[in-house]
Amino acid sequence: MPSSVITIDGPAASGKSTTAKAVAVRLGLAHLDSGSLYRCITLAALEQRSPIEGATLARLAEEKKIELHWTGEHYKPMLAGRDVSEEIRGAAVTRSVSDVAALPEVREWVNAAVRASAAQHPKGVVVDGRDIGTVVFPGAALKVFLVADSRERARRRVLQEGLATDEENLSRTSVELDSRDRADSSRIHSPLMPHPDAVQIDTTNLTFDEQVDRVVDLARESLQKKGS
Ligand code: DC
């Protein structure tokens, strides 16, 4: 495990990735988005028309050399030597990724890849996902679990997609997010849940800067304690 690890877990659109990125910049660490590996494997499966089956997909991930490559500045999701940062955000990948993330062989493969990527960074990482504090880095200095009410998460996701925050977009997005959260929380393997030591932060009524400040303060405190 690298010297400094902060984990940020939580449901879809709770602000994990944007918060993790900003926190990493403030602390001089790197942001590592574990969900992007599940998305890379999903993209590979769709491109190859592969059956959604654990051992097959773990083998495909290996064959296609899926990785989060540390460029010296950030982690880049790579599939067969190609930067797939944009493609993995497409609607088809988003629709299928929860099914792929429910497979234990895929989870094992991703967990090993996350640990290997984190080890490439000289200082440390802020990793976001669903099971990072519970399974991947349970010994992390600070484990955060972000929550926000479903309506607010839908509003943020709609804005992020550049759409109007009208009733139709909000309801549709809210239904999509709820269905993904149900799938991620009810799966048998590593369901979405907070580690008992995680600090839970409800961001519904926080501004983005407030939520970043809160995590940075907690991280500084925890890293100091760990170093002393
Ligand atoms: O955070 P995201 O939307 O990019 O995550 C994509 C999917 O991967 C989502 O269904 C949850 C799953 N995931 C997971 O199960 N465990 C992680 N550590 C990260 C993501």
Side-chain angles (χ1 to χ4, degrees), residues 90-135:
V93 169
T94 300
R95 257 194 312 274
S96 302
V97 68
S98 281
D99 291 339
V100 171
L103 302 168
E105 294 90 342
V106 169
R107 301 202 69 80
E108 230 167 83
W109 190 91
V110 167
N111 293 350
V114 168
R115 293 187 188 111
S117 297
Q120 288 180 44
H121 195 272
K123 244 185 113 185
V125 285
V126 183
V127 193
D128 78 283
R130 305 294 191 287
D131 63 339
I132 305 303
T134 47
V135 176

Side-chain angles (χ1 to χ4, degrees), residues 70-179:
W70 174 243
T71 64
E73 281 180 9
H74 60 269
Y75 284 102
K76 206 160 57 171
M78 304 292 289
L79 164 59
R82 166 174 136 232
D83 176 357
V84 289
S85 311
E86 300 290 324
E87 281 168 87
I88 57 171
R89 303 286 148 199
V93 169
T94 300
R95 257 194 312 274
S96 302
V97 68
S98 281
D99 291 339
V100 171
L103 302 168
E105 294 90 342
V106 169
R107 301 202 69 80
E108 230 167 83
W109 190 91
V110 167
N111 293 350
V114 168
R115 293 187 188 111
S117 297
Q120 288 180 44
H121 195 272
K123 244 185 113 185
V125 285
V126 183
V127 193
D128 78 283
R130 305 294 191 287
D131 63 339
I132 305 303
T134 47
V135 176
V136 185
F137 290 120
L142 171 68
K143 297 179 272 291
V144 171
F145 196 83
L146 286 187
V147 293
D149 80 31
S150 154
R151 187 83 181 166
E152 174 59 16
R153 289 189 290 124
R155 194 187 68 85
R156 291 176 190 171
R157 180 50 55 92
V158 166
L159 285 173
Q160 203 179 38
E161 287 170 349
L163 301 172
T165 48
D166 55 29
E167 193 46 44
E168 191 188 327
N169 285 337
L170 286 175
S171 318
R172 178 183 42 78
T173 306
S174 187
V175 168
E176 281 166 14
L177 291 176
D178 286 346
S179 133

Side-chain angles (χ1 to χ4, degrees), residues 34-67 77-80 84 88 93 96-97 99-101 103-111 113-114:
S34 64
S36 65
L37 285 170
Y38 290 103
R39 288 174 176 271
C40 283
I41 298 176
T42 307
L43 177 63
L46 293 173
E47 286 181 347
Q48 301 295 310
R49 297 178 195 281
S50 166
I52 303 298
E53 192 273 317
T56 309
L57 294 185
R59 215 168 28 242
L60 184 64
E62 205 58 39
E63 275 165 25
K64 296 288 174 190
K65 297 192 171 18
I66 286 174
E67 62 163 338
M78 304 292 289
L79 164 59
V84 289
I88 57 171
V93 169
S96 302
V97 68
D99 291 339
V100 171
L103 302 168
E105 294 90 342
V106 169
R107 301 202 69 80
E108 230 167 83
W109 190 91
V110 167
N111 293 350
V114 168

Side-chain angles (χ1 to χ4, degrees), residues 165-216:
T165 48
D166 55 29
E167 193 46 44
E168 191 188 327
N169 285 337
L170 286 175
S171 318
R172 178 183 42 78
T173 306
S174 187
V175 168
E176 281 166 14
L177 291 176
D178 286 346
S179 133
R180 211 137 68 84
D181 289 344
R182 252 196 319 279
D184 293 335
S185 306
S186 62
R187 68 179 175 223
I188 296 168
H189 302 283
S190 315
L192 168 68
M193 64 161 111
H195 185 282
D197 297 342
V199 180
Q200 185 150 321
I201 302 177
D202 185 339
T203 69
T204 308
N205 297 309
L206 294 182
T207 65
F208 181 66
D209 288 346
E210 285 169 337
Q211 98 195 24
V212 172
D213 283 347
R214 200 160 293 185
V215 179
V216 167

